[in-house]
Amino acid sequence: MQKSECSGGTQLKNRVTGNDDQRTSSGTQIKHRNAVQRSKSSLSTSSPESAGKLHPRPSDKLNPKTINPFGEQSRAPSAFAAIYSKGGIPCRLVHGSVKHRLQWECPPESLSFDPLLITLAEGLRETKHPYTFVSQEGFRELLLVKGAPEKAVPLLPRLIPVLKAALVHSDDEVFERGLNALVQLSVVVGPSLNDHLKHLLTSLSKRLMDKKFKEPITSALQKLEQRGGSGSLSIIKSKIPTYCSICC
């Protein structure tokens, strides 16, 4: 009888000990998994790529806006960037020690303005180098060639919406490029711009409320009036009543 009780007690003790060993083993496995997960998390946050995202380098703030060959811009270029990269713009940027310049593949006066002038105007909305320089300088130089008025006037119905898109852009630099292009165009086409002027003045009126643009916009309006003749003043005043004529 005593042997039976002793044997039963031994078996119970062995079962209890076995359960304790299983719980100890399970707990050890859980701790090991948690340690591995913490280790992976630590490695991911300490990687150079992650560190760069969490802590931008000081040089990132100093570098100008430029094309990142590994960024989204290179995978999904704008229409102007795509045309430029395929050689659709017959000029290239030449880097100088003091300033940049454009090198044309052929004399600009021999080029057709359609659709080149419109394409360059569309590039005014670019925000990355070299597209910003190529578009604004190419637009300016093309309008300086002999016979520019005859080539530019027929394109006004298509040019104006493109310039308007630059004037309503949220980027201040894009707006400034659009404003400069508008003045350059007015010098070339003169009163022919009057019929389209009202489509652009609303955008200028809104920006006129910003103090930093008051002087350049006023100067631009005066040049538009000067080039547009007497007919331009009434158009400007209808959209911007506070405008003071250069004749005052």
Side-chain angles (χ1 to χ4, degrees):
M1 184 68 178
Q2 290 178 350
K3 290 181 179 181
S4 176
E5 290 177 354
C6 181
S7 175
T10 301
Q11 293 176 357
L12 177 61
K13 183 178 180 180
N14 289 339
R15 286 197 297 271
V16 172
T17 304
N19 291 338
D20 290 341
D21 290 342
Q22 290 177 357
R23 285 194 295 270
T24 302
S25 177
S26 299
T28 302
Q29 291 176 359
I30 293 173
K31 290 180 179 179
H32 177 70
R33 285 197 299 269
N34 291 340
V36 171
Q37 291 174 353
R38 286 195 299 269
S39 177
K40 289 182 178 179
S41 176
S42 175
L43 287 174
S44 63
T45 55
S46 61
S47 65
E49 182 178 357
S50 300
K53 293 179 180 179
L54 294 175
H55 304 287
R57 296 170 297 178
S59 59
D60 291 341
K61 298 181 179 180
L62 299 176
N63 292 333
K65 296 178 181 178
T66 187
I67 298 299
N68 176 8
F70 304 104
E72 291 184 7
Q73 186 74 15
S74 62
R75 293 195 299 269
S78 65
F80 182 84
I83 294 173
Y84 181 78
S85 63
K86 293 177 181 178
I89 310 296
C91 62
R92 283 293 177 268
L93 172 65
V94 177
H95 293 275
S97 57
V98 179
K99 63 179 182 178
H100 304 322
R101 65 180 180 87
L102 291 183
Q103 180 176 331
W104 294 88
E105 297 175 2
C106 55
E109 56 268 19
S110 66
L111 296 170
S112 172
F113 278 25
D114 188 7
L116 181 56
L117 188 64
I118 298 172
T119 302
L120 291 169
E122 290 173 343
L124 297 172
R125 301 198 302 274
E126 294 290 337
T127 57
K128 301 292 184 182
H129 184 77
Y131 310 133
T132 52
F133 180 84
V134 172
S135 60
Q136 66 179 337
E137 185 63 16
F139 188 89
R140 186 187 72 83
E141 292 186 14
L142 204 59
L143 289 176
L144 292 177
V145 304
K146 185 178 180 180
E150 293 79 10
K151 294 181 178 180
V153 170
L155 299 179
L156 286 177
R158 294 158 59 193
L159 267 175
I160 297 307
V162 178
L163 289 179
K164 182 179 179 180
L167 294 174
V168 300
H169 201 282
S170 58
D171 190 295
D172 289 347
E173 293 181 1
V174 172
F175 170 78
E176 291 174 349
R177 288 193 290 271
L179 186 64
N180 291 334
L182 175 60
V183 172
Q184 293 160 7
L185 183 63
S186 71
V187 172
V188 174
V189 302
S192 297
L193 187 62
N194 290 348
D195 293 338
H196 310 275
L197 202 54
K198 61 182 180 180
H199 302 295
L200 305 172
L201 292 175
T202 302
S203 304
L204 298 184
S205 177
K206 292 179 180 179
R207 290 275 187 165
L208 199 56
M209 299 178 184
D210 191 333
K211 291 183 179 180
K212 64 183 175 182
F213 289 122
K214 185 174 182 179
E215 183 176 343
I217 291 177
T218 301
S219 175
L221 291 173
Q222 290 173 345
K223 292 175 182 177
L224 291 175
E225 179 190 355
Q226 183 180 7
R227 297 295 177 176
S230 58
S232 62
L233 178 59
S234 60
I235 300 173
I236 296 174
K237 294 284 285 185
S238 67
K239 295 293 184 180
I240 308 177
T242 57
Y243 171 71
C244 183
S245 172
I246 55 177
C247 299
C248 295

